[in-house]
Amino acid sequence: MFRFMFFRILFLSIFCVFSTFAQTPFLEIPNDLSKKNNSVENAYVVVDNEKKSFSTFMVNEQSINAYLYSQEQEPISKFASKGLPEGYNEIIGKTIKNGQVRLYFKEYYNKKFGAVLFDFDRQQSIETEFGFKLQDEIYLQSHSYQDRLYIITVSKKSSILNIYTFQHDGKFEKKSFDFTENVFVNGKNEPTTLYKLLYDSFNGLTSVVKIEESNPNSLQITSNLSKIYDRGDSFILSIDKEGLFTYLLEFKVPDLSVKIASIEKLNGMGDEKFNTTNSYLYKDKIFQIGGNSKIMVLTVKELATKKELTRFVLSKDEDIPFKNSAIIEEYATNQSIKTKELDKTNLLLQIFNGGNSGVAVNPTSTGYQLTLGGNEIIKRGGGGFGGPMMFGGPGNGMMINSTSSGMVVTSGFNPTFFSFGSFPYNEANRTKRIECLFNEDFEHIDGEIPQNVFNRLRNHTSNLPKAKAETVFRMDDYFVYGRYFTIDNVYKFFKFSE
């Protein structure tokens, strides 16, 4: 009797997770194109706003199974593709045109690039290997907009930025931008190159994360020193490796016109030099943060005029007058996430000794929610809540989110899914933060910190069996969460709103 009641309670708990949080299931897609009962190992979704449809690609060892649905969840077309040959293990972007979808992939070390065109009208695919390699270039990120994909690279030991434009028909061309005459400087105010500003000495590679400002981004993402902000018909590369300036390179697409700006930032106060500085863009404002174990400073400026709108200064011996939460320490690995509360300001500022500072901005009904603090990567064998760390996944300096063994979804392809994942699963990290509420004039206001949609979703899915082929994407004004249910051999989507 006890055993029966236990499983009944467990079933009702799992049912309530989706019935109360997700309200109603969104869609179920049977895994009916797979041969020999192959399970779904990965899943990608592409939303076509023009056609009011979305396509789901369920991947196994033998094929990519493509399903096209209307946004009203009506089936339109489905077929299977053999996909690209073995070795293409990162999905980096997509193009959309006339109802067709082309997915772009690359190999781990950027030695080969390829794409698969899905034609839902003809129910057939075309696989293309582009046959070029990056020569003395470092892959940075990708940007997808309508019927074009842009791959951004930097030439080694130079200030040359390269953009490869891929049209939907598979043709591509390269355009290079030489910023040598735009004098970049390091923390000692000495001339340096764009390549050195993007070089990550921690792993010997570059690590540029894609940001969508509409997502509730966390410090694990925003503390990255190089970011690309996806603004649809433009993208902005921001660079914060050195302490004197935030460098911004904004490209308009498809013509690839460019604007470059340097926004001065504080790298110390009085005799106190900062160990770390960083920034975050939100609409027409830039938020710049810096600090060390004794002090933290946040400034808010207008992007267009560089005018400082407000400044917040915090020292280790004082209470924090503008926080709306406890000081939270979070320790995350690919196995678990542990949190605890800290009671002293100096414990928050300690993160600036070895980690990157960071700020994240989310809008509220009355103004802004700011997350302030820092994040540090814990090296193999590092401490934090005790015990050795477990590391998994390939890891290549890019920001990735693994959906199963062998294939990763980059932040370039799906920034929403990456934001939901919160951190690269192949790295253990520690974050210390406070949450703060401000009105539109950046005056502190009292109130409870609202849980964002990703936090609520994580709380509920943490009680479920380990997810397989997970994805999250935005459609219209809501988010959709998907996962594969092995026993039922069905891929299920759930709709939830902010």
Side-chain angles (χ1 to χ4, degrees):
M1 179 68 178
F2 172 79
R3 188 175 181 180
F4 170 78
M5 287 299 295
F6 170 80
F7 284 107
R8 185 169 184 268
I9 292 170
L10 178 62
F11 170 79
L12 290 174
S13 299
I14 293 175
F15 174 79
C16 288
V17 164
F18 287 114
S19 63
T20 60
F21 174 64
Q23 300 177 2
T24 56
F26 183 72
L27 177 66
E28 294 186 9
I29 303 179
N31 182 30
D32 55 4
L33 292 175
S34 291
K35 298 178 180 179
K36 299 180 181 180
N37 297 318
N38 284 322
S39 66
V40 178
E41 299 297 330
N42 298 274
Y44 321 126
V45 174
V46 174
V47 177
D48 187 340
N49 292 315
E50 181 180 337
K51 296 290 185 180
K52 300 295 181 184
S53 64
F54 67 99
S55 46
T56 301
F57 304 92
M58 300 195 299
V59 184
N60 59 49
E61 293 181 354
Q62 304 298 323
S63 63
I64 302 176
N65 300 325
Y67 299 81
L68 180 64
Y69 281 79
S70 71
Q71 289 191 9
E72 288 72 38
Q73 299 90 56
E74 295 294 330
I76 300 173
S77 178
K78 64 180 181 180
F79 66 97
S81 165
K82 65 180 181 180
L84 289 166
E86 186 177 353
Y88 292 89
N89 49 16
E90 294 179 358
I91 181 168
I92 60 172
K94 78 274 186 182
T95 55
I96 306 170
K97 189 174 183 179
N98 298 329
Q100 297 178 337
V101 176
R102 187 185 287 268
L103 300 181
Y104 294 80
F105 301 85
K106 76 176 186 70
E107 184 265 348
Y108 178 94
Y109 290 107
N110 310 315
K111 291 183 178 179
K112 54 185 179 181
F113 294 79
V116 181
L117 175 70
F118 294 86
D119 189 329
F120 287 98
D121 289 338
R122 296 181 174 86
Q123 294 188 342
Q124 65 182 26
S125 66
I126 300 175
E127 292 75 29
T128 304
E129 295 186 86
F130 292 113
F132 78 94
K133 298 179 181 179
L134 299 182
Q135 300 293 335
D136 294 321
E137 298 172 46
I138 301 296
Y139 181 95
L140 298 179
Q141 255 297 351
S142 65
H143 178 73
S144 299
Y145 185 65
Q146 297 177 346
D147 62 348
R148 286 176 171 84
L149 171 77
Y150 305 88
I151 290 179
I152 304 105
T153 74
V154 62
S155 296
K156 293 181 180 179
K157 301 178 182 180
S158 77
S159 291
I160 297 175
L161 198 76
N162 311 289
I163 298 181
Y164 294 80
T165 301
F166 290 79
Q167 298 185 37
H168 185 72
D169 61 7
K171 297 177 182 178
F172 67 92
E173 61 182 2
K174 175 183 177 181
K175 185 175 182 178
S176 296
F177 300 82
D178 191 342
F179 295 108
T180 304
E181 293 184 0
N182 301 86
V183 180
F184 300 106
V185 297
N186 60 21
K188 299 179 180 179
N189 204 25
E190 301 168 339
T192 189
T193 62
L194 187 60
Y195 171 75
K196 286 185 178 179
L197 290 176
L198 291 164
Y199 185 80
D200 184 354
S201 59
F202 180 81
N203 54 25
L205 296 168
T206 56
S207 181
V208 182
V209 67
K210 173 75 75 68
I211 297 284
E212 282 186 350
E213 295 150 79
S214 58
N215 291 328
N217 295 300
S218 65
L219 290 186
Q220 286 95 334
I221 296 172
T222 65
S223 61
N224 198 278
L225 295 176
S226 301
K227 313 174 188 70
I228 282 187
Y229 294 82
D230 185 338
R231 294 189 169 182
D233 63 357
S234 70
F235 61 88
I236 302 174
L237 171 62
S238 72
I239 306 169
D240 275 288
K241 181 182 177 183
E242 300 292 354
L244 296 181
F245 296 94
T246 297
Y247 291 107
L248 303 176
L249 287 76
E250 180 176 10
F251 293 86
K252 287 284 187 181
V253 298
D255 62 313
L256 293 180
S257 60
V258 60
K259 292 191 301 184
I260 185 169
S262 56
I263 301 187
E264 190 173 1
K265 54 185 176 181
L266 289 174
N267 69 339
M269 290 196 72
D271 295 331
E272 293 292 337
K273 294 299 180 183
F274 294 162
N275 294 334
T276 171
T277 60
N278 214 330
S279 71
Y280 187 83
L281 305 184
Y282 185 75
K283 294 186 176 180
D284 60 348
K285 297 178 178 61
I286 181 169
F287 298 74
Q288 293 174 306
I289 189 172
N292 58 26
S293 61
K294 297 180 181 180
I295 193 170
M296 181 188 80
V297 179
L298 173 74
T299 60
V300 184
K301 298 175 183 177
E302 292 179 344
L303 267 178
T305 64
K306 304 180 184 180
K307 176 185 176 182
E308 184 174 309
L309 301 175
T310 190
R311 177 183 296 192
F312 300 93
V313 180
L314 177 65
S315 66
K316 69 182 182 71
D317 297 319
E318 65 179 352
D319 293 331
I320 306 173
F322 49 82
K323 68 180 176 67
N324 295 73
S325 72
I327 301 171
I328 303 167
E329 181 178 37
E330 181 175 275
Y331 188 70
T333 73
N334 63 336
Q335 302 293 316
S336 64
I337 300 176
K338 299 178 181 179
T339 61
K340 66 180 181 182
E341 294 185 0
L342 307 176
D343 57 359
K344 298 292 185 180
T345 302
N346 68 302
L347 298 178
L348 168 67
L349 300 185
Q350 284 176 0
I351 195 73
F352 298 147
N353 281 338
N356 291 340
S357 55
V359 55
V361 182
N362 288 299
T364 67
S365 59
T366 55
Y368 305 91
Q369 176 185 339
L370 268 58
T371 306
L372 307 176
N375 179 70
E376 63 177 331
I377 303 300
I378 308 299
K379 296 182 180 180
R380 188 183 297 271
F385 290 88
M389 294 303 95
M390 298 289 292
F391 289 81
N396 66 342
M398 285 187 57
M399 305 301 282
I400 58 176
N401 205 340
S402 177
T403 56
S404 76
S405 60
M407 175 65 73
V408 292
V409 177
T410 64
S411 63
F413 175 75
N414 188 350
T416 301
F417 178 46
F418 187 77
S419 295
F420 170 69
S422 277
F423 61 96
Y425 284 1
N426 62 308
E427 295 174 326
N429 62 83
R430 179 191 290 110
T431 298
K432 294 182 181 181
R433 69 181 189 270
I434 54 174
E435 304 288 348
C436 313
L437 295 175
F438 299 93
N439 62 21
E440 293 183 353
D441 296 320
F442 294 101
E443 298 168 330
H444 178 249
I445 56 177
D446 295 327
E448 295 290 327
I449 295 295
Q451 270 204 325
N452 66 55
V453 288
F454 288 173
N455 286 335
R456 296 199 305 269
L457 181 58
R458 287 189 201 101
N459 290 340
H460 286 275
T461 56
S462 65
N463 298 319
L464 297 176
K466 185 177 180 180
K468 190 173 185 181
E470 229 178 355
T471 191
V472 178
F473 61 97
R474 182 188 286 272
M475 187 183 297
D476 292 334
D477 60 347
Y478 55 88
F479 291 88
V480 179
Y481 168 76
R483 61 184 287 159
Y484 175 62
F485 286 76
T486 306
I487 296 177
D488 299 328
N489 198 25
V490 169
Y491 199 89
K492 297 183 181 182
F493 292 103
F494 301 89
K495 173 182 173 180
F496 58 101
S497 57
E498 297 183 82

